[in-house]
Amino acid sequence: MTDPLAVLAASLAAPGQPQTLFAALERETAALVGHKLFTLLFVDGADVARIYSNRPVEYPVSGRKTMGATPWGKHVLEEQRPYLGRDREAICWAFFDHELIGSMGLGSVINVPVIYDGTTIGTMNLLDAEHHYREEHVAPVARLAPLLVPAFLAARAGL
């Protein structure tokens, strides 16, 4: 089995950034823990803006949501802790668009903050069927988040 960190580090050197890295991260996280929806969001004030989605029909790139002033925002963006939602109740607690999420057959989530210089600059988000994710899935995914820092800084600079 190939080391996901090595694969992703090599993808950073490849042309076509940041999409090359994003696609590699989507593949590596699918191999590690699985997902049916994979998105990347960068923080813009109280909003988060989508810069990557493997399901652009339902969750298009450039979509925005206000998440800073929510319990989820406090947990992930302010306290810089990953969020593990194991079931639909946890999805409803965290996201105002829980009905769309549920309609896609999704009922569990891992959200990982991307942190740079003490500040949360974005999140990596994986969703799958209810009860798919467990505590042991969080750490392998979270260790990949720092590789997103250059791409997220570039996305923020392009505002």
Side-chain angles (χ1 to χ4, degrees):
M1 185 164 151
T2 308
D3 176 24
L5 284 173
V7 170
L8 294 170
S11 77
L12 280 168
Q17 296 301 327
Q19 294 304 313
T20 301
L21 172 64
F22 296 165
L25 188 61
E26 179 188 343
R27 286 189 306 274
E28 292 302 313
T29 54
L32 275 174
V33 300
H35 55 69
K36 292 181 180 172
L37 175 62
F38 178 84
T39 65
L40 300 170
L41 304 168
F42 76 89
V43 176
D44 182 20
D47 289 353
V48 289
R50 199 171 303 107
I51 58 175
Y52 184 84
S53 173
N54 72 330
R55 307 234 348 223
V57 171
E58 298 94 338
Y59 283 96
V61 171
S62 299
R64 300 177 78 84
K65 343 184 206 191
T66 300
M67 295 297 291
T70 67
W72 178 93
K74 179 173 177 47
H75 183 93
V76 176
L77 303 178
E78 185 181 323
E79 296 173 357
Q80 301 179 331
R81 297 185 295 149
Y83 176 67
L84 170 62
R86 293 181 176 96
D87 55 28
R88 288 193 178 119
E89 185 177 319
I91 297 285
C92 289
W93 174 85
F95 307 114
F96 70 89
D97 55 346
H98 57 86
E99 289 181 7
L100 174 58
I101 292 169
S103 75
M104 296 168 63
L106 307 173
S108 63
V109 63
I110 298 173
N111 303 117
V112 178
V114 176
I115 303 163
Y116 177 72
D117 196 24
T119 301
T120 304
I121 60 172
T123 64
M124 176 172 46
N125 315 288
L126 293 79
L127 291 94
D128 209 306
E130 190 169 30
H131 304 293
H132 177 83
Y133 295 121
R134 299 179 306 277
E135 190 65 43
E136 62 265 22
H137 291 131
V138 177
V141 173
R143 73 184 201 123
L144 304 178
L147 293 171
L148 284 165
V149 167
F152 277 44
L153 291 176
R156 288 173 54 136
L159 287 176

